[in-house]
Amino acid sequence: AVDGDDRTLHLSYRDFVRPGGDEIQQDLKLTIVPMSLTLRVLGGSPRGLRPYVLVGANVYYWEYQEEGDFIDFYRPGLPVSYDYFRSSGAAFGLHAGAGLRVPVSDDVSVTLEGRYNFADEVEMGDDFDQNRIDVSGIAATVGVRLRF
């Protein structure tokens, strides 16, 4: 299965503003696309509610970006300038969770699933030298399953 998550945070410095009082803003964006292979063990009746447990392996493709105005804290006067930083890569991991299939008809069911993704921290490199990223975390999905 291929999934995806993308989120952008719009931030500004808490204790610093421009000389005119305007905020110094930047956007931080993280995109994660996990590709997974999952084994599900189903319980219940084929025509009734079907609780299940799952385990599997993932490859998490990720990209992190920072864009906007930044303060150079290493230069006198703390100058502000626009910049763009980016890093991307892949992390390997496992997942475990549980779910429930709720039948709507003989060929359609709604799926509710929760899982925890475990992944190795990886070096970000490039613009984020000596920083590491951890893409582990909780995921919940609601889906439709069609049988044909």
Side-chain angles (χ1 to χ4, degrees), residues 71-135:
I71 299 172
D72 186 344
F73 289 100
Y74 297 102
R75 293 187 43 211
L78 303 177
V80 176
S81 61
Y82 170 84
D83 214 335
Y84 172 80
F85 305 99
R86 178 187 170 281
S87 184
S88 63
F92 299 94
L94 303 171
H95 62 270
L100 181 66
R101 288 186 183 166
V102 180
V104 176
S105 71
D106 287 341
D107 297 323
V108 178
S109 60
V110 174
T111 303
L112 310 167
E113 184 175 293
R115 68 170 65 177
Y116 190 86
N117 296 307
F118 304 88
D120 294 330
E121 282 188 5
V122 293
E123 294 283 337
M124 292 179 73
D126 300 329
D127 290 334
F128 302 94
D129 189 34
Q130 298 182 12
N131 286 314
R132 301 178 67 78
I133 189 165
D134 181 356
V135 295

Side-chain angles (χ1 to χ4, degrees), residues 14 40 65 83 89 115:
R14 181 183 303 191
R40 289 177 177 84
Q65 301 172 43
D83 214 335
R115 68 170 65 177

Side-chain angles (χ1 to χ4, degrees), residues 27-30 63-67 84-86 128:
D27 293 333
L28 284 66
K29 180 178 180 182
L30 177 62
E63 180 179 69
Y64 179 73
Q65 301 172 43
E66 291 184 4
E67 179 177 18
Y84 172 80
F85 305 99
R86 178 187 170 281
F128 302 94

